Amino acid sequence: MGHEQIVNAVDACREGFAGIVASGSDDCTARLWDSRVRGDVGRLDHEFQVTSVAFSADANTLYTGGIDNCITAWDVRRLEKTMKMKGHSDTITCLSLNPKGTHLLSNSMDGTIRSWDVRPFVEGPNRLHKTFVGGSHNAEKGLLNCAWSSDGSMVTGGSADRVVHIWDEFTAEELYYLPGHTGCVNSVIFHPKENVIASGSSDKSIYVGELAQ
């Protein structure tokens, strides 16, 4: 009927697939849920703990990441693996699909944030697109997030160095280095319409700021 250990991540389908949710857990499964049905409607078994999940834009694929350092793509209709993307050298803490649905962002305990080309017509096993460096993880081993701006031109993610880092998606260069927190930055998110960013930290504070044009 449900997970047997800690749930680390959840993601909901985009518009048009209301009520469908995925979750990843320390019980080494990702599960699919339909708000109209009691209990899970699909189970994806993994060899290791699942720490991150993200749906594709059409909701036909679920991407999962975990302590095996890999991103696995699953066909949610057949409940089968379709692809595995390798490149990180430590636990993947978050996955996030860009607004166009063409690229997937991942944050990892190896200290990098990476983007992956998940378009179906891309050939070859290496879908790594870009690597964004400057953030960090620490001994707390927190599941730090990652996120895209609403137009997909910038990326950000949690960082243990108490700084909000924002990168240009096209050049992979750091655009903003925003100190202020006194604890690990666990979560950062862009406003859907305005040039505003918000961050949550282990220092028990949430900062909201406007980015320069």
Side-chain angles (χ1 to χ4, degrees):
M1 291 295 291
H3 286 295
E4 298 172 359
Q5 293 189 39
I6 293 170
V7 177
N8 295 311
V10 295
D11 189 38
C13 290
R14 296 187 174 182
E15 292 183 27
F17 304 92
I20 306 300
V21 176
S23 58
S25 168
D26 277 355
D27 64 10
C28 301
T29 70
R31 304 196 186 211
L32 303 171
W33 310 84
D34 187 328
S35 60
R36 300 163 296 183
V37 178
R38 185 182 179 124
D40 64 81
V41 295
R43 170 175 170 152
L44 306 171
D45 290 311
H46 294 65
E47 188 175 353
F48 301 100
Q49 292 94 325
V50 181
T51 53
S52 51
V53 295
F55 275 110
S56 63
D58 62 7
N60 290 327
T61 300
L62 181 70
Y63 302 99
T64 62
I67 68 171
D68 62 352
N69 315 336
C70 299
I71 300 170
T72 304
W74 301 79
D75 184 321
V76 298
R77 294 163 296 185
R78 299 180 179 179
L79 302 180
E80 296 177 349
K81 296 178 186 178
T82 59
M83 176 177 62
K84 183 167 284 192
M85 295 180 284
K86 299 180 180 180
H88 283 298
S89 59
D90 207 338
T91 299
I92 295 167
T93 63
C94 184
L95 296 172
S96 177
L97 189 71
N98 77 340
K100 293 183 179 179
T102 59
H103 291 77
L104 187 71
L105 197 66
S106 58
N107 196 346
S108 169
M109 290 182 187
D110 64 13
T112 67
I113 291 177
R114 304 187 182 212
S115 63
W116 309 80
D117 192 334
V118 294
R119 290 173 294 180
F121 56 80
V122 174
E123 297 181 356
N126 186 9
R127 289 175 174 259
L128 178 61
H129 184 57
K130 288 170 185 168
T131 301
F132 306 91
V133 296
S136 64
H137 287 246
N138 61 14
E140 293 178 5
K141 299 291 186 181
L143 297 181
L144 309 185
N145 91 315
C146 55
W148 301 82
S149 61
S150 60
D151 62 359
S153 66
M154 295 183 288
V155 300
T156 187
S159 183
D161 61 2
R162 309 175 184 179
V163 173
V164 174
H165 301 269
I166 302 173
W167 294 269
D168 182 291
E169 193 283 329
F170 182 73
T171 65
E173 294 180 357
E174 190 165 17
L175 295 175
Y176 299 92
Y177 179 94
L178 307 174
H181 282 294
T182 59
C184 176
V185 178
N186 299 310
S187 184
V188 190
I189 191 170
F190 291 95
H191 191 281
K193 296 181 180 179
E194 305 296 332
N195 204 31
V196 171
I197 195 164
S199 57
S201 168
S202 296
D203 64 12
K204 304 177 184 178
S205 68
I206 298 172
Y207 285 0
V208 180
E210 185 173 1
L211 302 175
Q213 296 290 343

